Amino acid sequence: MYSIGEFSKLVGMPIDTLRYYEKLDLITPARSHTNKREYSDADIHWMAFIKRLKSTGMPMKQIQAYAQLRDIGDATIDERLDLLAKQRLRLKGEQQLIQQHLDFLDQKIDSYHQRKQQLNQN
């Protein structure tokens, strides 16, 4: 078990953020007999998952919904799959837009290379 300070270092997040996540019901650490937070290795893995969802741009409300469904258990697998699939679809849309931007830039770069070659031949 890890104290909040140890856990903070292990997951690379400030203590204030961990407390905020606890208020949002994203993470629920165990409590010691003196009511101090105690985090486990499972909490480390869960926090890594939350951070990954956040890095995909998933809104905090959806992450909260996912966490609530996770707490309910396996009966919510379909709902969790739906949340993940919707986020994947959003990312695919962003990926297509980014590809369009890259294609535009590549075309412009190519046109400048061609123009540069024309100028060097003259």
Side-chain angles (χ1 to χ4, degrees):
M1 299 301 266
Y2 306 100
S3 69
I4 194 167
E6 293 168 328
F7 187 71
S8 169
K9 290 175 186 166
L10 288 169
V11 298
M13 297 180 79
I15 290 172
D16 288 343
T17 301
L18 295 174
R19 288 184 179 135
Y20 174 68
Y21 279 15
E22 190 176 339
K23 286 179 186 175
L24 294 178
D25 291 324
L26 293 177
I27 189 164
T28 309
R31 295 287 183 155
S32 71
H33 67 282
T34 59
N35 205 32
K36 291 191 177 198
R37 292 170 181 87
E38 292 182 333
Y39 297 89
S40 67
D41 289 334
D43 292 323
I44 292 171
H45 295 296
W46 172 239
M47 188 54 62
F49 184 75
I50 290 172
K51 287 171 69 175
R52 190 61 184 258
L53 287 179
K54 204 169 173 237
S55 73
T56 70
M58 181 180 272
M60 195 57 83
K61 290 282 185 201
Q62 270 76 36
I63 296 172
Q64 282 179 282
Y66 188 98
Q68 290 170 352
L69 292 168
R70 176 184 175 260
D71 287 344
I72 293 169
D74 286 347
T76 66
I77 287 175
D78 286 338
E79 291 94 332
R80 286 184 272 166
L81 280 170
D82 187 53
L83 282 171
L84 295 175
K86 285 178 181 173
Q87 183 60 21
R88 185 180 189 285
L89 191 60
R90 279 192 287 273
L91 287 174
K92 289 298 273 183
E94 290 176 23
Q95 183 182 34
Q96 289 174 349
L97 183 59
I98 289 169
Q99 188 59 55
Q100 290 172 1
H101 294 322
L102 288 169
D103 292 346
F104 165 77
L105 291 173
D106 287 345
Q107 289 172 358
K108 193 62 177 173
I109 290 168
D110 287 345
S111 72
Y112 280 127
H113 283 300
Q114 290 173 8
R115 181 70 180 135
K116 190 175 168 182
Q117 284 177 346
Q118 290 172 352
L119 291 172
N120 288 338
Q121 290 174 356
N122 293 334

